[in-house]
Amino acid sequence: MKIVTTRDLIEKLDLEVISGEKGLDREITTGELSRPALQLAGYFSHYTPQRVQILGTSELSFFKLLTAAEKRSRMGMLCTRITPCIIVSRGLDIPNELIEASNKYDTPVLRSNSETTKLMGFITYHLQNMFAPTTSVHGVFIEVYGIGILLTGESGIGKSEIALELIKRGHRLIADDRVDIRELQKDYLIGTCESPLIKHLLEIRGLGIINVMTLFGTGAVRNEKRLQLNIHLETWDESKQYDRIGLNNEKQEILNSKIEKKTIPVRPGRNVAIIIESAAMNYRLNQMGTNTAKDFTSRLEQEIKRNNTESSKGE
């Protein structure tokens, strides 16, 4: 897991540093946030100083009602040597008691012009991305008709060449060879290319390494995409029975999530790029509630029942 510091949060969200500059390299160990309303009222029994603390209009309005002694005491207890930072939203004025306690314990006090709820959403999303479980898989990750498709298969089967054909047809490359995957939540995976060395590059055997963005423009690449479908390519095996209707519900497990998987046999004469485009459109159709395979099976069953009924009447 990547180490996240207060300084990283400042750079990501463009926060203003008010005080406690010596603590900017403190590590953030959790993605959970706190709005310390009870703490300002004097209840610190379940205070979690490891969290990023957010102060908004409600907290600071209540703080103004306290006595001078209470203000110094509460802020002194709010600032600890393990608190990553305290962020004040809406560009509100920072209480002097908070600045004094911040400098005493080297707890960074930051300010944002964003509304409190939006600010918490931004921070949560950023930390969720940073703390998400990650893994890397060998394959090509490409966006086809808005669907993030992971192409896998044995080395040399033609994944990169198929990706190149898809790019020429207007689709976008995310990663080639090594796909880095983050699990933001169960069954929600984000694929990207973390390595700047191979980002936007595609390896074509016999041709070499090409820069997709340079050749096809910025519209041919993107930095990340949700992973929704795995298409596994394998050499055509005459002895194997392949799904011809589409009722097989095969899944690919990545981290703690499962995504839909389709196995496509490859042999000379098959236009795999068109098949992958069709798979992407069919996946979108299924997500919209239309399943052609199930509709066909239902019509087939109805036809069989009708024929059996007519045969019974004939007897």
Side-chain angles (χ1 to χ4, degrees):
M1 182 184 297
K2 183 178 179 180
I3 295 177
V4 184
T5 66
T6 301
R7 195 182 300 275
D8 296 329
L9 203 60
I10 294 170
E11 295 174 355
K12 189 70 178 180
L13 301 179
D14 193 25
L15 301 173
E16 178 187 0
V17 180
I18 304 298
S19 58
E21 292 85 354
K22 293 181 180 179
L24 293 182
D25 291 317
R26 286 188 181 181
E27 184 178 350
I28 301 175
T29 58
T30 176
E32 297 181 0
L33 310 179
S34 288
R35 294 188 67 175
L38 288 175
Q39 285 71 33
L40 292 179
Y43 185 76
F44 280 85
S45 295
H46 297 283
Y47 177 49
T48 49
Q50 299 86 354
R51 298 179 183 179
V52 172
Q53 310 293 321
I54 309 293
L55 296 177
T57 304
S58 300
E59 290 80 12
L60 293 183
S61 296
F62 174 78
F63 181 75
K64 292 178 181 178
L65 302 177
L66 301 177
T67 65
E70 287 175 331
K71 289 179 179 179
R72 289 192 297 272
S73 173
R74 306 288 158 76
M75 287 306 179
M77 296 177 70
L78 198 63
C79 296
T80 73
R81 298 198 181 277
I82 61 172
T83 303
C85 61
I86 298 174
I87 306 177
V88 176
S89 63
R90 293 180 174 270
L92 298 171
D93 293 333
I94 311 297
N96 291 328
E97 295 82 0
L98 176 56
I99 295 177
E100 291 174 4
S102 164
N103 289 326
K104 181 178 180 180
Y105 296 103
D106 296 330
T107 303
V109 172
L110 316 174
R111 181 161 54 192
S112 170
N113 291 322
S114 299
E115 297 175 3
T116 309
T117 304
K118 291 182 179 179
L119 175 63
M120 294 181 71
F122 294 150
I123 296 174
T124 299
Y125 178 78
H126 174 64
L127 294 180
Q128 188 180 38
N129 271 276
M130 299 300 289
F131 289 130
T134 61
T135 188
S136 297
V137 299
H138 176 68
V140 180
F141 190 33
I142 193 164
E143 180 193 56
V144 180
Y145 294 128
I147 305 299
I149 298 179
L150 175 65
L151 301 180
T152 57
E154 62 188 48
S155 181
I157 201 166
K159 298 184 293 296
S160 297
E161 288 81 358
I162 294 168
L164 180 60
E165 175 64 24
L166 289 168
I167 293 166
K168 288 179 61 180
R169 298 170 72 92
H171 307 294
R172 297 195 283 183
L173 175 73
I174 296 101
D176 178 44
D177 191 47
R178 193 191 84 176
V179 183
D180 301 303
I181 300 173
R182 303 192 308 272
E183 185 182 51
L184 298 188
Q185 61 187 46
K186 185 175 175 59
D187 297 329
Y188 196 98
L189 303 171
I190 295 292
T192 186
C193 177
E194 298 287 352
S195 172
L197 184 64
I198 60 175
K199 195 170 188 177
H200 302 155
L201 302 183
L202 196 62
E203 179 192 353
I204 306 296
R205 282 178 171 79
L207 179 61
I209 297 175
I210 64 173
N211 190 314
V212 172
M213 187 170 70
T214 302
L215 285 180
F216 299 98
T218 56
V221 298
R222 64 176 298 165
N223 291 329
E224 63 179 31
K225 176 67 181 175
R226 181 182 177 185
L227 174 54
Q228 297 162 282
L229 180 63
N230 172 218
I231 292 184
H232 183 73
L233 306 175
E234 67 177 30
T235 305
W236 189 295
D237 185 355
E238 296 290 348
S239 63
K240 184 176 179 179
Q241 293 293 325
Y242 293 103
D243 185 15
R244 301 182 63 178
I245 298 178
L247 289 176
N248 287 355
N249 191 23
E250 193 175 2
K251 297 288 185 180
Q252 175 64 39
E253 186 170 352
I254 300 176
L255 295 171
N256 295 313
S257 300
K258 293 182 180 180
I259 61 171
E260 186 173 331
K261 178 181 179 180
K262 298 294 182 184
T263 299
I264 297 180
V266 178
R267 69 176 179 182
R270 297 201 89 194
N271 192 328
V272 181
I274 291 180
I275 295 174
I276 292 174
E277 285 184 328
S278 300
M281 289 188 286
N282 193 57
Y283 178 88
R284 293 186 64 179
L285 196 63
N286 291 345
Q287 297 300 304
M288 296 169 66
T290 301
N291 191 310
T292 306
K294 290 183 179 179
D295 290 345
F296 170 76
T297 304
S298 178
R299 277 186 281 171
L300 182 60
E301 291 175 351
Q302 292 176 5
E303 183 68 18
I304 292 173
K305 288 180 181 179
R306 188 178 65 82
N307 291 336
N308 289 339
T309 301
E310 291 179 355
S311 298
S312 299
K313 290 180 179 179
E315 294 176 356

